[in-house]
Amino acid sequence: MASNKKYWKSVEELNENSSIVETLRDNEFVEEIPTDEFLGDKEKLSSSSTTRRDFLKYVGFSTAAATLAACEGPVVKSIPYVVQPDEIVPGVADYYATTVADGFDFVNVLVKTREGRPIKIENNKLAGAYSGANARVNASVLTMYDNLRLKQPKIAGKETTWDEVDVKVKASLEDAKSKGGKIVLLTNTMASPSTDKLINEFAAAYPTTEHVVYDAVSSSSALDAYEKAYGTRGLADYDFSKADVIVSVDADFLGDWQGGGYDSAYAQKRIPKRTTLESKVMSKHIQLESNMSLSGANADVRLPLNSADLKAALVKIYNVVVGANVGTNTTAYDEAIMKAAKQLKAAGSNGVLVSGIDDVNAQLLVFAINQALGSSAFLPEQTKFVRQGNDAKVAQLVKDMAAGKVHTLIMSNVNPVYSLANGEAFAEALKKVGLTVSFSMKEDETALVSGIAAATPHYLESWGDVMINKGLYSVTQPTIRPLFNTRQLQDALLLWTNNNTAYYDYVKAVGQSTVGNKTWNKIVHDGFATLGESAKVSASADFSSAAAAIAKARKEGEFELVFYTKTGMGDGQQANNPWLQEFPDPISRASWDNYATVSSKDAEALGIVNKHVANGGLDGSYITLTVNGVTIENVPALIQPGQAQGTIGLAFGYGRKAALKEEMQVGVNAYKLYTNASKVQPVTVAMGNGMHEFACVQLHNTLMSRSDIVKETTVAKYHANDEEWNPLPIVSYDHQNVKARTIDIWESFDRTVGHHFNLSIDLNACTGCGACVISCHAENNVPVVGKSEVRRSRDMHWLRIDRYYSSEATFDEDVKKKKDASGFGEYRKAFQELEDPADNPQVSFQPVMCQHCNHAPCETVCPVAATSHGRQGQNHMAYNRCVGTRYCANNCPYKVRRFNWFLYSNNSEFDYHMNDDLGRMVLNPDVVVRSRGVMEKCSLCIQMTQATILKAKNEGRAVKANEFETACSAACSSGAMIFGDINEKESDITELVESDRSYYLLEHIGTKPNVFYHVKVRNV
């Protein structure tokens, strides 16, 4: 029985009205401890003779004292669920299928969420999905947590309510309807069946409505050609896994050409095998282009040509394949062009030609050539809808606005004030429109000058549907409730047409009527539904006239400007995303910039220089570019190996100011020179003043014939099975030459027990796209350090993709040059020459991360055992043990360890996503945020491997074959990275590690890595 006795400390407590008792109850100490007298003054504290015992006596263990002692370790309160949702288990990730459709990127993805927060994008690997999430798609999750997002609607720059917006817009629509005023819906490409239906209903309610589609980076010529030949506004699709010979004329199909997504099928035919006669066929890729692109870097043969010569080359190929005889001008590469044309024709149905030439006639010739070949890889019936823009209609709209012919303009996810060449004229014309509404996630350049800025949700907060191509219906579903007071365009259109249906119900009805073989729940679960194959179609156009028209093309002026999109930035929608700004461009290896790329010969003629400075940074000259009377000054110039002589490359997406943090306001706006949305412009070049500081992460351009780092061979040598193409390193052991992998300088333990993880990297399949880099960022909370720190070689990327150029025409010739040298003088001269890339070099990409050496040099030199080897093959880092000696980084032969020079979170010097509560929502709770003064590196995503083991354990089963993944292997859509347990005999990794193409990086030093590579085979 519990006691009801009352105890007291003092007689005074018996007096219920005593003020002293109340004071004692509220204060732990009767007198205030004068901590400020000595703790608040550094000099007094340092000179004090107070002992630790005295300190504790004075300060005690009060809450106030704990706060003083914890000034460097902020306390974060955790708040449990009041009513925990059934579908959320704390500590366990949930995945939702959705579709990215931002007008530039279209792909089916999975979204990883933790406790209701989307934190990572992954590929949807279900059969039939349109997968291939690139770097931008992987980074798009961070864009949702941008604290500069438009958080609620604004009228004339002042915050307002949606009710006020509705009243104002409906009044304008009704006024336009009564007066016959023109209503224009200006949107990006949405490729949404439900939205198209909704716009048609809106146009029925307001008959003067016109829908204009605007793509910032135009594909209008290709769309016009396809519509002319096939009767539908769209693009032809391609399946490169069915092609033995690929000829690309200025189409970066491994980049952003036609929405991208081709690398997976391409890689299937680029990995040589020996098993059957059919699989011995490795596709041959021939690339003709002006700028060095991802596709050009991966090609077997690359020809650098200006725009006129590209058109001439296309005509020459047309003549050979079709049997025509259209005359055209000669080029410096006629022999190579004719050889490629003959190879293409000989391949027949196993050949395919693609082109990115910005010309309707050129695109018509593409159809003619592929139709004549009977190409299996050419799929015109599988119409792609990822581009729908119409340049002619956009140009007419600007004229109508300027003439006062537009009553109401409603824009959605477009920023023409920034991205149109005549953006200033567009902004001026907006003033003559009765009402302008801009649906946008950001208060961007266009939203700032619009009457109403309507805040829209991120795609991860939205419902929607997408028809990526004719046979694929996809769904976008929200993975989190809207963070702000936002509204989709579709919801607004429903309200403005007095339709009380929720957009979710509207999408569901359209989806159910479109897809007959799946339930709605199944469609949402999978993220997509296939609609079956389409009937074959044939092109119908005057191909002869098209060939004759482009055969007349001639180069205009001494230089031409060739626009392109960088893999990291795209069209510039995510310019405020620090992951993408810091992402090194796969070709130039520069971040935080765009720049004019010039050939070495043009640079020499113009006086452009690039030089390395004392702190390891790269500096380059400024130039001035003038196109059609419009000038951009102080454009940094980068000397780019492989750039066609007489051409200058410039990337879109930079030079923005509105709704961007100051750190992200970098580069120049290339759209200002994008006259008539033409990809190629005649340009005048003049030298500027001063030097630009680049943030370039790889100043060493060439491999310098170090053939043990990137091993290469030809397909002929590979199939001849000559061991010389993958020689094993030989070392001296007891004065005998032996194979390096057969000896150990340390004792080894039995690694056949339990799991043992390995990562395979196939250099034939790696396109250098960098999706793995951003995925690693997201999974492992890798910090962004900014341009200044990157320039000091302090980037924090756990995974880098080294890019090497050949010094001679091929890497084989580099090796020959090294071998042929003899004596100190010749060797010195040869190596000096091997430092400079060729004018048209071969290129190799090599992803490098911690190699997780079984005999790791870093582990032997760490004085505090902060880094040690795990039983499962991973090299561990105990961050709370690390004291930052950096001995491990000095001793690492692969240079993959990163040192935290600063605290990158909650630090105003690094104002990226880790400085505010919203940005920190993207952090993965399974991985600690590292502090200043510690080393960090790739962990082979130990949190992912342990989660897989725990999942299998909870389900009472063994881990399945190929179930283990890392962030990089999961993000790699080309199949270049395969991760697994080599003790699981059914997994792919066990076969790969035994492949005759496999080798270890710097194997001769005896580190015994758990990451291995596959020799790159070229089809030359």
Side-chain angles (χ1 to χ4, degrees):
M1 182 174 176
S3 173
N4 291 321
K5 286 183 180 181
K6 183 176 182 180
Y7 295 89
W8 63 91
K9 296 177 184 177
S10 141
V11 176
E12 189 68 26
E13 291 186 40
L14 298 175
N15 182 359
E16 294 181 356
N17 297 319
S18 173
S19 61
I20 297 174
V21 173
E22 199 66 31
T23 301
L24 288 170
R25 184 181 295 123
D26 293 341
N27 294 283
E28 185 175 353
F29 299 98
V30 178
E31 292 182 11
E32 183 177 352
I33 299 173
T35 54
D36 287 344
E37 291 183 14
F38 59 94
L39 291 180
D41 191 316
K42 287 184 179 179
E43 292 182 3
K44 286 184 180 181
L45 185 60
S46 62
S47 62
S48 172
S49 60
T50 303
T51 66
R52 179 175 180 273
R53 185 181 297 277
D54 290 335
F55 176 82
L56 293 175
K57 181 175 67 178
Y58 281 114
V59 177
F61 296 97
S62 67
T63 303
T67 303
L68 287 169
C71 58
E72 294 203 12
V75 176
V76 179
K77 296 179 180 178
S78 60
I79 303 172
Y81 291 109
V82 178
V83 179
Q84 180 181 320
D86 293 336
E87 66 273 15
I88 294 178
V89 178
V92 178
D94 289 311
Y95 291 83
Y96 297 90
T98 191
T99 304
V100 177
D102 64 5
F104 194 73
D105 292 308
F106 294 79
V107 62
N108 299 131
V109 297
L110 296 180
V111 183
K112 178 182 179 180
T113 66
R114 282 295 302 270
E115 288 74 60
R117 296 179 295 111
I119 63 170
K120 189 166 178 281
I121 306 298
E122 296 187 359
N123 282 307
N124 187 334
K125 295 186 178 180
L126 289 177
Y130 194 90
S131 61
N134 58 29
R136 295 185 301 273
V137 171
N138 276 278
S140 63
V141 65
L142 182 59
T143 302
M144 185 177 70
Y145 299 118
D146 186 346
N147 64 359
L148 293 185
R149 280 181 58 184
L150 193 55
K151 297 175 178 64
Q152 65 184 78
K154 290 185 176 182
I155 295 179
K158 295 180 180 179
E159 293 181 350
T160 187
T161 65
W162 284 109
D163 288 341
E164 291 180 6
V165 169
D166 292 337
V167 169
K168 195 172 181 67
V169 173
K170 288 194 75 172
S172 181
L173 293 173
E174 291 298 331
D175 187 54
K177 184 177 181 179
S178 62
K179 295 179 179 178
K182 191 172 185 178
I183 301 168
V184 176
L185 283 175
L186 178 64
T187 72
N188 62 347
T189 295
M190 292 181 284
S192 168
S194 65
T195 306
D196 290 343
K197 183 173 184 290
L198 191 49
I199 288 175
N200 290 334
E201 292 173 3
F202 180 84
Y206 301 101
T208 58
T209 298
E210 181 184 3
H211 181 206
V212 178
V213 182
Y214 167 57
D215 293 327
V217 180
S218 175
S219 296
S220 201
S221 295
L223 290 163
D224 291 344
Y226 187 88
E227 189 173 21
K228 189 173 184 179
Y230 296 102
T232 304
R233 193 160 187 80
L235 300 168
D237 204 357
Y238 296 86
D239 183 354
F240 292 101
S241 68
K242 298 178 179 178
D244 292 342
V245 176
I246 302 167
V247 177
S248 170
V249 184
D250 206 28
D252 185 15
F253 59 87
L254 295 179
D256 297 328
W257 177 76
Q258 294 197 174
Y262 295 113
D263 48 351
S264 177
Y266 172 80
Q268 289 179 36
K269 266 295 183 71
R270 298 293 291 171
I271 301 175
K273 297 177 182 176
R274 300 184 188 278
T275 52
T276 64
L277 183 63
E278 290 76 17
S279 65
K280 283 187 177 182
V281 178
M282 174 186 168
S283 66
K284 186 176 184 68
H285 173 192
I286 303 161
Q287 185 82 11
L288 291 67
E289 61 184 9
S290 301
N291 300 330
M292 174 67 83
S293 68
L294 276 179
S295 300
N298 283 278
D300 296 305
V301 177
R302 180 180 179 274
L303 308 177
L305 301 167
N306 61 43
S307 63
D309 287 349
L310 286 170
K311 291 179 179 179
L314 186 61
V315 172
K316 293 175 190 294
I317 295 170
Y318 170 80
N319 285 339
V320 171
V321 174
V322 178
N325 189 26
V326 179
T328 187
N329 57 304
T330 59
T331 75
Y333 291 95
D334 274 359
E335 185 179 346
I337 292 168
M338 294 304 292
K339 183 178 179 180
K342 291 173 182 176
Q343 288 176 334
L344 182 64
K345 184 175 183 179
S349 62
N350 294 321
V352 67
L353 180 137
V354 295
S355 178
I357 295 176
D358 198 5
D359 185 286
V360 173
N361 292 316
Q363 294 300 321
L364 288 175
L365 290 197
V366 173
F367 305 150
I369 292 168
N370 285 314
Q371 198 159 279
L373 290 171
S375 173
S376 301
F378 176 58
L379 308 172
E381 66 279 0
Q382 199 168 293
T383 313
K384 290 185 72 174
F385 299 109
V386 296
R387 299 288 184 267
Q388 291 286 289
N390 191 314
D391 293 344
K393 288 187 176 181
V394 173
Q396 187 59 48
L397 171 61
V398 178
K399 292 178 182 177
D400 290 346
M401 288 163 57
K405 296 179 180 179
V406 178
H407 184 284
T408 303
L409 175 64
I410 301 170
M411 297 171 283
S412 177
N413 294 322
V414 293
N415 188 9
V417 173
Y418 160 70
S419 57
L420 274 178
N422 57 340
E424 293 177 359
F426 186 92
E428 195 64 30
L430 281 176
K431 298 175 183 177
K432 298 183 180 180
V433 179
L435 179 67
T436 55
V437 184
S438 179
F439 280 84
S440 175
M441 274 181 58
K442 307 288 288 291
E443 198 170 10
D444 56 26
E445 290 81 357
T446 302
L448 279 172
V449 295
S450 298
I452 299 175
T456 59
H458 191 267
Y459 77 88
L460 292 174
E461 305 166 311
S462 310
W463 280 104
D465 60 358
V466 187
M467 191 73 79
I468 295 177
N469 60 39
K470 198 171 183 180
L472 185 67
Y473 176 83
S474 304
V475 171
T476 297
Q477 68 165 318
T479 58
I480 189 173
R481 291 187 64 183
L483 298 174
F484 305 115
N485 184 18
T486 55
R487 182 195 284 177
Q488 292 178 242
L489 170 71
Q490 292 88 344
D491 286 313
L493 294 180
L494 285 166
L495 280 170
W496 298 341
T497 53
N498 300 315
N499 189 334
N500 295 323
T501 306
Y503 183 51
Y504 165 76
D505 294 324
Y506 196 93
V507 171
K508 181 179 179 180
V510 172
Q512 288 176 323
S513 65
T514 304
V515 181
N517 58 346
K518 283 186 181 180
T519 64
W520 173 248
N521 284 347
K522 181 64 174 172
I523 299 171
V524 174
H525 173 271
D526 294 350
F528 68 95
T530 53
L531 305 179
E533 295 184 3
S534 302
K536 295 287 184 181
V537 294
S538 297
S540 176
D542 187 352
F543 300 126
S544 299
S545 297
I550 68 167
K552 299 174 183 177
R554 298 292 182 270
K555 185 182 175 185
E556 299 180 38
E558 184 180 2
F559 291 101
E560 58 187 24
L561 189 62
V562 183
F563 298 106
Y564 70 102
T565 57
K566 289 176 72 171
T567 305
M569 195 53 60
D571 62 353
Q573 291 184 53
Q574 298 190 68
N576 202 44
N577 191 316
W579 288 352
L580 293 177
Q581 288 284 6
E582 191 145 300
F583 172 71
D585 180 70
I587 302 297
S588 70
R589 307 297 290 136
S591 62
W592 293 98
D593 257 322
N594 66 340
Y595 31 78
T597 56
V598 297
S599 69
S600 59
K601 289 183 180 178
D602 288 335
E604 185 178 354
L606 290 167
I608 295 171
V609 295
N610 283 175
K611 65 179 182 180
H612 301 159
V613 292
N615 68 353
L618 176 69
D619 289 356
S621 304
Y622 283 116
I623 61 175
T624 297
L625 301 177
T626 303
V627 173
N628 294 320
V630 179
T631 297
I632 299 181
E633 297 179 345
N634 293 329
V635 181
L638 187 76
I639 299 173
Q640 175 61 61
Q643 184 77 31
Q645 196 170 350
T647 69
I648 295 173
L650 186 61
F652 291 123
Y654 291 82
R656 290 187 56 188
K657 302 293 182 185
L660 266 65
K661 291 183 179 180
E662 185 177 351
E663 293 84 354
M664 316 293 175
Q665 297 176 18
V666 295
V668 298
N669 184 4
Y671 286 114
K672 287 184 176 294
L673 306 181
Y674 194 34
T675 307
N676 298 323
S678 178
K679 177 181 172 180
V680 180
Q681 301 283 346
V683 64
T684 303
V685 185
M687 289 299 299
N689 297 317
M691 297 289 283
H692 179 77
E693 295 183 347
F694 288 103
C696 190
V697 298
Q698 188 183 356
L699 301 182
H700 181 212
N701 289 322
T702 67
L703 197 60
M704 290 187 67
S705 187
R706 290 179 289 189
S707 53
D708 57 338
I709 295 176
V710 173
K711 291 189 176 184
E712 292 200 346
T713 189
T714 63
V715 70
K717 288 181 180 178
Y718 173 74
H719 286 303
N721 204 20
D722 184 346
E723 288 187 5
E724 289 185 2
W725 59 265
N726 187 17
L728 292 177
I730 303 297
V731 296
S732 177
Y733 183 71
D734 284 344
H735 306 289
Q736 299 292 324
N737 289 335
V738 297
K739 294 178 180 179
R741 65 178 58 178
T742 63
I743 61 170
D744 286 333
I745 57 175
W746 288 287
E747 290 186 8
S748 298
F749 57 84
D750 183 7
R751 299 190 180 96
T752 62
V753 178
H755 302 294
H756 191 102
F757 299 120
N758 270 212
L759 177 64
S760 166
I761 302 175
D762 195 325
L763 301 183
N764 260 62
C766 178
T767 63
C769 71
C772 54
V773 175
I774 300 298
S775 182
C776 177
H777 253 297
E779 177 66 31
N780 295 296
N781 301 333
V782 177
V784 175
V785 301
K787 181 177 180 177
S788 178
E789 291 299 293
V790 171
R791 182 171 164 81
R792 290 178 173 87
S793 302
R794 294 177 179 173
D795 62 289
M796 295 299 294
H797 296 104
W798 285 12
L799 163 62
R800 71 176 191 262
I801 302 179
D802 290 336
R803 178 268 304 121
Y804 296 109
Y805 298 126
S806 64
S807 178
E808 301 298 306
T810 67
F811 285 99
D812 277 347
E813 291 178 32
D814 284 8
V815 174
K816 184 176 185 299
K817 185 165 194 170
K818 176 186 172 183
K819 286 182 176 179
D820 288 349
S822 62
F824 174 77
E826 283 190 29
Y827 265 113
R828 184 172 181 274
K829 182 175 181 292
F831 275 108
Q832 284 178 336
E833 292 173 353
L834 286 171
E835 288 183 357
D836 295 325
D839 289 335
N840 182 31
Q842 283 187 338
V843 185
S844 284
F845 295 106
Q846 184 177 56
V848 181
M849 67 292 289
C850 174
Q851 302 292 291
H852 295 272
C853 310
N854 289 315
H855 292 164
C858 57
E859 295 168 11
T860 59
V861 295
C862 181
V864 292
T867 183
S868 58
H869 211 69
R871 182 76 192 184
Q872 296 174 343
Q874 291 148 312
N875 176 259
H876 296 300
M877 274 299 306
Y879 298 123
N880 59 343
R881 291 187 64 89
C882 180
V883 294
T885 63
R886 290 178 283 154
Y887 296 162
C888 57
N890 290 334
N891 220 38
C892 174
Y894 308 104
K895 300 307 170 191
V896 288
R897 288 176 166 263
R898 302 289 177 256
F899 181 67
N900 283 273
W901 291 91
F902 300 98
L903 180 67
Y904 300 112
S905 60
N906 290 318
N907 187 338
S908 59
E909 293 296 320
F910 302 93
D911 187 18
Y912 307 110
H913 68 286
M914 288 191 186
N915 269 10
D916 57 84
D917 290 338
L918 183 64
R920 282 191 292 269
M921 285 178 70
V922 81
L923 295 178
N924 183 359
D926 292 332
V927 183
V928 68
V929 175
R930 283 73 63 188
S931 188
R932 179 186 182 184
V934 302
M935 299 297 303
E936 60 180 79
K937 61 164 193 69
C938 162
S939 68
L940 280 184
C941 292
I942 190 169
Q943 70 281 1
M944 293 179 67
T945 57
Q946 294 309 303
T948 302
I949 293 169
L950 182 61
K951 180 183 178 184
K953 183 178 180 180
N954 288 338
E955 295 175 1
R957 59 173 176 82
V959 178
K960 300 173 185 174
N962 303 318
E963 189 174 358
F964 286 113
E965 287 274 25
T966 58
C968 55
S969 67
C972 184
S973 55
S974 68
M977 291 183 175
I978 304 294
F979 179 77
D981 176 8
I982 58 172
N983 290 338
E984 168 52 62
K985 300 307 177 185
E986 300 300 319
S987 63
D988 293 341
I989 198 76
T990 57
E991 180 182 349
L992 291 167
V993 77
E994 298 296 332
S995 167
D996 56 358
R997 283 203 300 130
S998 70
Y999 73 96
Y1000 295 97
L1001 195 57
L1002 303 180
E1003 185 176 358
H1004 58 276
I1005 62 178
T1007 56
K1008 306 291 183 183
N1010 283 317
V1011 176
F1012 60 94
Y1013 296 82
H1014 291 267
V1015 174
K1016 186 175 181 69
V1017 180
R1018 294 188 183 272
N1019 194 350
V1020 293

